[in-house]
């Protein structure tokens, strides 16, 4: 699929939820000709491989705000984009298996409440009421926010894709970004497998592969791709409303609208994308152990399929959003870790703002591409990562 | 035949009895194939379809355990068998009205968005329809917790048919430890071979923990015991299965594969039909015709019908419909007749029948090979993917071999291909001639078939993916909006994401998409085979947790 022009105002690398949403915001703002290139098929990256979890319970107020704004966007998604993403606000339930963990949840709870969200701390019994079949004694309590929830990632991708296209955005699939040329210290062209494209601005929304692209542009970045696996079970009649999560082992699982239990757990893998996305026996057995120990009645339920994708991790747990001070015209929209879907609507609005040279409300010490030069001292960390 | 002891079980509230060793399905089959479950979206009645444990037609709840395949599970004394996803019963299900209310289907991608305040209600309603079985009543019974089986062998053979058994015997004869796993009863004892019957291999990873054993194989056996095998070489001899076929009403009770019909002819006391239309013209159709005898009434084939089949048919007084396509199964709760359309927009014949037996093509049962990363090649004649192999059955993955019909080898050569794979797996010289995979294709009789099929008028639902109730219209809609390629259309429609994991829907979907996208099926792509290849109980995997090593950085 080739592009129609040889010059664009903006070329976005990556047709995941972040790249597409950015294109959509830019097109709505009338930014000029916009192209999105992706070497894979639509939703081949993290945006087609995630758990669809959308939560506002975070350690940092800035992340909570972005998530909150995104929830509002996903709530009106159906009328705005014409696709039903089945965003179901069944809550996120954090489990505490020890009093110490409950204390940590309390600290998060306090931040969430300070942001005006009605998070609640739950007793063991209250947790049990949310999770049918939970093993007695598995938890001492939990934290719950009912307006968190889950959605279907695919229709969200289709909806934003179609909306962007109908606003004139060109999306070229099967085109790989291979390099970035600059003139007078500013981005001038994107070199692709399909020729080079003149442009003022390149947005790096390449998800787990974003660090490769930044490096090809000569920029040293700290993002690290990490493989994360996830599985779905055979569909059961609905019995579980919230997304259930546990910080100690990164466990998360929810029941989709189709009845499948979908979730993951942390399993260490060698960093980087070199080994691709096969599933590992280690993950399958770890996840099975975690689920069956927590909800013994799931023992006879079959795992239907497992797959993997990449988180694009940053050292401080915040994404990288904005123009790189070292290379004007190169804008980052990456580093979303395991929560890019839930931040995409809000974060990509800021990406678009910075492409247009507008000021954003993001603290550059939390989200700015230049923040790593100063070292970690004194900077905030968003440590509430799962999966 | 001496009668076997009886096993008593409950089906709903009724007390039933069956001979020992029979499956629940065989025990429940009478004059008719019982509708056992309702489909996910439209609550269409469904009955056993595949007979080999992959489809969603025979799901029942057994002793509080959901989604049990009645065609695979033997009746045990005191079993409580119940139906699910239907009220009051699969035969008369209140929600079955949905099917009639939405003759063109329900668009869950675009529908139910407005008004915004109603979304919660929509979700509650739609969610109620989701899933098949309810959460299991209990966890693993304490007595049932079996320690996992952890084994090592020089060569592991998956599948105990002719090819697998021959491969295992050859490995043993060459003095090396062989282990054979079979989902079913297996080949019986083979000298020098450790045979694990009733053991399903579900995950094959070629990125093992190192130390020479590059393969890790996970599986499960009876009572959800986990099985872990490590080996430096694996031979996959998982055989083949009968494909589904796309037509209106192809999911109605009474439409079944040859696998099921032949299985019932062997195992059940009586065949649950009187007048069967057999689809196909190859050796499989002949086999079915012979097994059904007077219960067969017609043969429909997309191309010509070869002389042996013509002869057998005339002996049985069976009418022949060469160069015809099945366009419609009529009947709601069961098949009552079938419409056969002569190829090339010819006339339509209406044939009264109570079963349609699909014997038109067999497909290699290759998910394990796919999943382990073996390169697959498209064979145009049989319109299917087969593993790319050298004459010894070597796949593109080092030390992974395929033998028998999964490799596309003709039945007569199956054993020889097993022997060749065994020798190659051990690095020994080949003792026999090289095996030549043949394309067991249909010599082009499906050329143009799907082009023509897509122009047929549609009165009712054309179910393209029965597990998820995905309609042909939805594939066309996806295509019309510019979504191309099987991977994307799967994500757009949900096709291939159900319990059969694409075994029955993907082959024809490839052909359909190839027509819609104006490109050859291999360009439409294939689905990445995501493990496990068969739904694997969480409990069996959980118990393997301590045994499975972590990934190592190479
Ligand atoms: C298992 C798993 C579970 C997750 N669960 C959640 C969750 O519950 N909630 C949540 O919010 N997030 C979750 N995430 C994270 C979320 O999926 C990602 O953060 C989000 O999808 C990132 O979107 P993206 O658009 O930035 O990247 P992607 O969707 O990965 O898109 C990047 C695209 O860039 C393309 N690309 C890369 N390099 C190039 C190149 N050089 N040239 C051309 N194209 C290129 C890729 O093909 C890809 O399509 C999960 C992730 C995984 C892996
Ligand atoms: S008939 Fe039992 S699974 Fe298909």
């Amino acid at each position: 699929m080739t592009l129609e022009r040889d010059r664009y105002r903006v070329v976005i690398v990556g047709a995941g939820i972040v790249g597409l949403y950015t294109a959509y915001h830019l097109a709505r703002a009338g930014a000029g000709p916009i192209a999105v290139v992706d070497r894979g098929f639509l939703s081949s990256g993290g945006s087609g491989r995630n758990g669809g979890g959308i939560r506002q319970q975070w350690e940092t107020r800035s992340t909570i705000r972005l998530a909150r704004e995104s929830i509002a966007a996903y709530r009106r998604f159906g009328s705005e984009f014409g696709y039903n993403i089945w965003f179901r606000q069944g809550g996120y339930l954090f489990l505490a298996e020890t009093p110490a963990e409950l204390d940590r949840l309390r600290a998060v709870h306090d931040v969430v409440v300070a942001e005006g969200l009605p998070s609640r701390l739950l007793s063991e019994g209250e947790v049990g009421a949310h999770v049918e079949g939970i093993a007695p004694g598995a938890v001492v309590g939990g934290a719950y926010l009912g307006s968190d929830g889950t959605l279907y990632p695919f229709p969200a991708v289709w909806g934003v894709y179609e909306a962007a296209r109908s606003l004139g955005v060109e999306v070229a699939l099967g085109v790989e970004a291979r390099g970035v040329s600059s003139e007078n210290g500013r981005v001038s062209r994107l070199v692709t497998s399909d020729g080079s494209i003149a442009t003022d601005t390149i947005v790096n929304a390449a998800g787990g592969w974003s660090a490769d692209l930044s490096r090809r542009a000569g920029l040293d970045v700290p993002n690290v791709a990490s493989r994360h696996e996830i599985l779905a079970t055979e569909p059961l009649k609905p019995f579980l409303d919230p997304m259930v999560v546990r910080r100690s082992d990164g466990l998360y699982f929810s029941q989709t609208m189709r009845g499948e239990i979908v979730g993951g757990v942390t399993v260490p893998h060698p960093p980087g994308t070199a080994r691709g996305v096969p599933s590992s026996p280690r993950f399958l057995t770890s996840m099975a152990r975690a689920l069956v120990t927590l909800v013994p009645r799931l023992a006879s339920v079959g795992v239907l399929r497992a797959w993997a994708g990449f988180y694009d991790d940053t050292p401080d747990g915040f994404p990288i959003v904005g123009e790189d001070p070292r290379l004007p015209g190169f804008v980052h929209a990456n580093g979303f870790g395991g929560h890019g879907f839930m931040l995409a609507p809000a974060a990509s609005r800021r990406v678009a703002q910075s492409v247009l040279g507008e000021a954003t409300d993001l603290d550059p010490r939390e989200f700015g591409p230049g923040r790593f030069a100063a070292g970690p001292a004194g900077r905030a960390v968003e440590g509430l990562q799962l999966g | 035949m001496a009668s076997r002891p009886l096993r008593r079980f409950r089906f709903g509230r009724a007390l039933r009895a069956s001979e020992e060793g029979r499956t629940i399905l065989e025990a429940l089959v009478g004059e008719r194939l019982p509708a056992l479950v309702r489909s996910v979206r439209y609550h269409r009645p469904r009955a056993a379809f595949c007979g080999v444990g992959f489809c969603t037609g025979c799901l029942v709840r057994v002793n509080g355990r959901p989604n049990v395949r009645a065609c695979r599970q033997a009746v045990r004394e005191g079993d409580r068998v119940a139906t699910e996803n239907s009220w009051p019963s699969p035969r008369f299900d209140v929600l079955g009205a949905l099917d009639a209310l939405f003759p063109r289907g329900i668009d869950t991608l675009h529908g139910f968005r407005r008004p915004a305040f109603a979304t919660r209600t929509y979700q509650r309603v739609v969610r109620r329809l989701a899933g098949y079985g309810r959460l299991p009543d209990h966890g693993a019974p304490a007595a049932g917790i079996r320690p996992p089986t952890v084994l090592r062998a020089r060569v592991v053979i998956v599948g105990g048919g002719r090819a697998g058994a021959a491969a295992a015997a050859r490995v043993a004869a060459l003095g090396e430890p062989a282990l054979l796993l079979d989902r079913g009863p297996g080949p019986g004892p083979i000298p020098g071979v450790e045979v694990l019957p009733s053991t399903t291999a579900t995950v094959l990873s070629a990125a093992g923990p190192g130390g020479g054993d590059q393969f890790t194989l996970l599986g499960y056996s009876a009572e959800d015991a986990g099985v872990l095998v490590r080996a430096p070489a694996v031979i996959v001899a998982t055989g083949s299965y009968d494909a589904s076929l796309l037509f209106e009403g192809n999911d109605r009770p009474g439409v079944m594969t040859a696998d099921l019909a032949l299985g019932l002819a062997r195992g059940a006391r009586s065949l649950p039909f009187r007048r069967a239309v057999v689809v196909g013209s190859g050796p499989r159709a002949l086999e079915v015709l012979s097994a059904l005898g007077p219960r067969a009434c017609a043969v429909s084939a997309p191309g010509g019908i070869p002389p042996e089949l013509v002869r057998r048919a005339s002996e049985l007084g069976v009418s022949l419909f060469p160069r015809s396509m099945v366009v419609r199964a009529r009947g709601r709760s069961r098949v009552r007749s079938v419409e056969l359309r002569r190829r090339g927009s010819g006339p339509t014949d209406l044939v009264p029948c109570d079963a349609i037996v699909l014997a038109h093509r067999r497909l290699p049962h290759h998910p394990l090979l796919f999943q382990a990363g073996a390169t697959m090649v498209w064979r145009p004649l049989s319109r299917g993917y087969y593993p790319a192999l050298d004459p010894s059955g070597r796949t593109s993955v080092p030390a992974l071999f395929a033998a028998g019909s999964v490799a596309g080898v003709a039945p007569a050569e199956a054993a020889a291909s097993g022997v060749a794979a065994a020798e190659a797996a051990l690095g020994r010289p080949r003792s026999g001639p090289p095996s030549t995979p043949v394309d067991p294709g249909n010599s082009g009789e499906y050329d143009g078939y799907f082009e023509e099929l897509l122009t047929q008028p549609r009165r009712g639902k054309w179910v393209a993916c029965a597990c998820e109730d995905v309609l042909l219209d939805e594939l066309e809609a996806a295509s019309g909006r510019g979504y191309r390629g099987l991977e994307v259309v799967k994500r757009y429609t949900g096709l291939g994401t159900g319990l059969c994991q694409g075994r029955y829907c993907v082959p024809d979907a490839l052909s359909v998409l190839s027509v819609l996208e104006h490109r050859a099926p291999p360009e439409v792509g294939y689905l990445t085979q995501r493990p496990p290849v068969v739904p694997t109980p969480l409990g069996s995997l959980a118990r393997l947790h301590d045994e499975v090593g972590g990934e190592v950085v190479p």
Side-chain angles (χ1 to χ4, degrees):
Chain A
M1 222 179 273
T2 41
L3 294 169
E4 281 168 23
R5 306 160 166 264
D6 46 18
R7 160 166 278 289
Y8 290 86
R9 166 73 179 83
V10 188
V11 179
I12 297 165
V13 180
I17 192 70
V18 172
L20 291 171
Y21 244 121
T22 301
Y24 171 73
H25 288 308
L26 283 169
R28 289 238 314 193
I34 300 159
V36 182
V37 300
D38 196 301
R39 65 171 165 220
F41 54 84
L42 217 50
S43 79
S44 55
S47 303
R49 298 172 175 276
N50 64 83
I54 308 292
R55 71 174 146 110
Q56 306 154 97
Q57 300 179 74
W58 291 93
E59 286 175 347
T60 54
R61 301 182 75 147
S62 53
T63 310
I64 296 173
R65 284 179 197 168
L66 288 179
R68 195 172 180 180
E69 186 181 318
S70 296
I71 284 204
Y74 282 134
R75 279 180 62 102
R76 49 166 206 274
F77 194 95
S79 40
E80 190 172 351
F81 295 97
Y83 273 84
N84 193 337
I85 56 175
W86 297 99
F87 177 38
R88 188 176 60 83
Q89 293 179 284
Y92 249 69
L93 172 59
F94 278 80
L95 305 178
E97 66 277 33
T98 61
E101 180 58 26
L102 196 55
D103 286 342
R104 290 176 67 191
L105 290 183
R106 187 168 292 122
V108 174
H109 163 80
D110 291 344
V111 182
V112 174
V113 169
E115 275 296 311
L117 290 164
S119 148
R120 284 194 297 130
L121 289 172
L122 304 185
S123 66
E124 180 189 351
E126 288 169 316
V127 170
H130 280 289
V131 189
E132 185 176 351
I134 194 169
V139 296
V140 298
Y144 176 78
L145 178 59
S147 54
D148 290 349
T150 51
L151 53 69
Y152 271 138
F154 296 129
V157 173
W158 319 138
V160 186
Y161 166 73
E162 289 183 20
R165 295 228 313 176
S166 69
L167 292 170
V169 172
E170 287 180 48
V171 181
L173 300 173
V175 175
E176 182 176 31
R178 297 205 169 140
V180 173
S181 327
S182 53
E183 253 168 57
N184 306 325
R186 209 197 137 79
V187 159
S188 63
R189 306 185 78 84
L190 180 72
V191 182
T192 75
S193 55
D194 207 28
S196 110
I197 315 164
T199 183
D200 304 328
T201 310
I202 292 171
V203 176
N204 180 357
W209 302 269
S210 67
D212 291 348
L213 186 68
S214 295
R215 285 194 198 105
R216 284 184 206 189
L219 302 169
D220 188 28
V221 290
N223 313 38
V224 178
S226 61
R227 188 164 96 218
H228 285 260
E229 302 183 38
I230 178 166
L231 61 74
T233 68
E234 54 190 343
L236 295 172
K237 287 275 157 212
F239 69 95
L240 180 69
D241 277 336
M243 171 80 91
V244 180
V245 299
R246 189 164 64 197
R247 183 149 132 152
S248 55
D249 58 356
L251 174 72
Y252 66 92
F253 63 97
S254 68
Q255 189 174 23
T256 67
M257 287 293 294
R258 282 172 20 172
E260 302 166 327
I261 305 293
V262 170
V265 70
T266 307
V267 176
H269 289 299
T273 56
R275 286 163 66 84
V277 286
S279 306
S280 66
R282 169 99 255 162
F283 166 72
L284 286 168
T285 55
S286 301
M287 182 64 188
R289 166 72 64 95
L291 273 180
V292 169
T293 312
L294 188 65
V295 184
R297 283 166 68 183
L298 291 174
S300 62
V301 173
V303 177
L304 192 53
R305 61 182 174 279
W307 65 98
F310 294 109
Y311 285 14
D312 183 21
D313 291 325
T314 57
D316 55 10
F318 291 105
I320 308 178
V321 175
E323 184 172 47
D324 198 302
R326 297 165 293 182
L327 180 58
F330 193 87
V331 175
H332 292 275
N334 52 58
F336 283 95
H339 45 283
F341 221 93
M342 61 182 94
L343 300 188
S348 55
R349 209 160 67 82
R350 274 76 179 171
V351 176
Q353 286 171 337
S354 80
V355 167
L356 297 171
E358 296 167 10
T360 74
D361 58 358
L362 298 179
D363 182 345
R365 284 168 311 159
E366 285 178 336
F367 296 90
R371 68 185 189 264
F372 304 105
R379 283 196 284 114
V381 169
E382 176 49 72
L384 201 48
Q385 317 284 348
L386 301 165
Chain B
M1 210 190 347
S3 72
R4 291 175 284 183
L6 284 187
R7 294 279 168 260
R8 280 159 305 168
F9 68 103
R10 256 177 207 288
F11 180 55
R13 268 185 242 134
L15 207 51
R16 303 272 192 112
S18 171
E19 283 169 15
E20 183 180 33
R22 289 190 157 190
T23 64
I24 294 173
L25 179 66
E26 284 162 358
L28 293 177
V29 160
E31 291 282 285
R32 304 237 166 271
L33 212 46
L36 288 176
V37 69
R38 289 279 171 153
S39 72
V40 171
R41 260 188 179 175
Y42 306 116
H43 277 245
R44 289 162 72 86
R46 295 276 165 81
F49 167 75
C50 74
V52 285
F54 297 130
C55 76
T56 30
C58 74
L59 298 178
V60 289
R61 189 177 186 89
V62 180
N63 303 328
R65 177 186 182 129
N67 302 354
V68 173
R69 257 87 179 218
C71 70
R72 300 291 297 178
Q73 173 104 14
V75 173
R76 289 160 306 185
E77 181 70 25
D79 273 348
R80 283 173 297 112
V81 180
T83 55
E84 294 208 274
N85 203 34
S86 54
W87 190 86
S89 79
R91 274 195 75 187
F92 309 101
D93 173 45
V94 170
L95 286 172
L98 280 172
D99 193 25
L101 277 174
F102 297 93
R104 305 307 303 194
I106 300 174
D107 182 358
T108 51
L109 267 177
H110 303 95
F112 306 101
R113 293 177 291 120
R114 295 199 172 95
F117 65 81
T119 48
R120 277 208 165 222
T121 314
Y122 292 147
Q123 290 182 355
R124 230 171 281 142
V125 172
V126 171
R127 216 164 176 244
R128 184 151 306 169
L129 302 180
Y132 284 101
R134 284 171 294 115
L135 183 68
D137 291 353
H138 18 250
I145 298 186
R146 293 229 317 247
T149 310
V150 180
L151 296 162
R152 220 207 133 254
R154 175 68 184 80
V155 182
V156 181
I157 297 96
V158 184
R162 255 177 290 183
R170 186 68 185 144
V171 172
L174 290 169
E176 296 281 357
L179 174 68
L180 186 148
L181 279 60
D182 192 279
R183 291 169 74 213
I190 303 173
V193 178
E194 182 164 5
V195 177
L196 294 184
S198 307
T199 304
T200 310
T202 63
V203 179
L204 178 57
S205 163
D213 288 347
Q214 71 164 16
F215 291 102
T216 304
L217 185 85
L218 304 185
Y220 67 95
S221 59
E223 321 286 344
D224 297 346
V227 176
L228 168 70
V229 184
R230 291 218 170 81
V234 174
I235 299 174
V236 173
T238 39
S240 51
Y241 67 103
D242 292 299
S244 179
L245 184 63
L246 181 63
F247 53 87
E248 181 175 325
N250 64 351
D251 61 326
R252 293 302 190 197
V255 179
M256 68 188 78
T257 65
D259 281 325
L260 174 59
L262 291 170
L264 289 175
R266 277 190 300 269
R269 195 192 304 273
S270 67
L271 278 170
F273 48 80
R274 292 168 188 282
R275 289 177 58 83
V277 172
V278 179
V279 182
S281 59
R284 190 67 167 171
L286 187 61
E287 190 182 350
V288 169
L289 206 56
S290 305
L292 301 190
R295 304 273 176 130
C297 71
V299 172
S300 161
I305 296 180
E308 321 99 276
L309 200 59
V310 172
R311 212 173 308 124
R312 190 83 188 96
S314 74
E315 282 162 25
L316 292 166
V318 162
S319 20
L320 297 176
F321 296 87
R323 291 195 51 72
S324 68
M325 52 206 305
V326 183
V327 291
R328 184 169 295 112
R330 291 201 192 170
R332 219 190 102 65
S333 55
R334 62 185 178 83
V335 174
R336 293 174 195 276
S337 62
V338 62
E339 285 177 31
L340 303 175
R341 179 102 196 245
R342 300 290 167 94
R343 294 286 300 273
S345 308
T348 301
D349 295 290
L350 184 66
V351 182
C353 64
D354 56 0
I356 300 171
V357 180
L358 304 175
H360 58 297
R361 72 173 175 151
R362 276 180 84 71
L363 293 168
H365 191 221
H366 53 37
L368 212 53
L369 291 165
F370 242 125
Q371 190 234 291
T375 302
M376 309 298 281
V377 289
W378 175 258
R379 294 231 194 122
L381 282 185
S382 34
R383 301 180 77 89
Y385 285 104
Y386 285 76
L389 301 173
D390 80 354
S392 303
R394 199 184 306 269
T395 70
S396 66
V397 175
L400 178 64
F401 298 81
S405 51
V406 72
V409 169
E413 282 191 56
S417 77
V419 169
E423 289 163 351
L426 295 172
R428 307 291 175 89
R430 194 166 53 219
S431 60
S435 68
T436 41
V438 291
D439 192 332
N442 301 295
S443 48
E445 59 211 30
Y446 278 95
D447 289 353
Y449 186 92
F450 286 91
E451 282 83 347
E452 209 180 325
L453 192 68
L454 293 188
T455 65
Q456 299 303 313
R458 288 175 211 163
R459 284 189 224 128
K461 293 189 179 72
W462 287 53
V463 177
C465 161
C467 299
E468 291 296 324
D469 263 357
V470 178
L471 307 184
L472 178 57
D473 300 354
E474 294 174 75
L475 301 193
E476 288 172 330
S479 206
R481 282 176 179 256
Y483 295 94
R484 281 164 68 85
L486 188 59
E487 282 283 5
V488 175
V489 172
K490 161 194 156 186
R491 287 162 170 81
Y492 196 86
T493 62
L495 174 123
T497 62
L499 280 179
C500 88
Q501 297 171 313
R503 281 175 178 83
Y504 292 103
C505 57
V506 164
D508 281 1
L510 264 177
S511 293
V512 167
L513 292 180
S514 139
V515 174
L516 297 175
E517 298 179 7
H518 307 289
R519 49 182 183 166
E523 289 167 47
V524 172
Y526 55 81
L527 291 188
T528 313
Q529 182 61 55
R530 293 174 159 177
V533 300
V534 177
T536 306
L538 282 164
S540 70
L541 290 166
R543 277 168 227 146
L544 290 172
H545 178 260
D546 296 332
E547 314 290 341
V548 170
E551 185 169 336
V552 284
V553 189

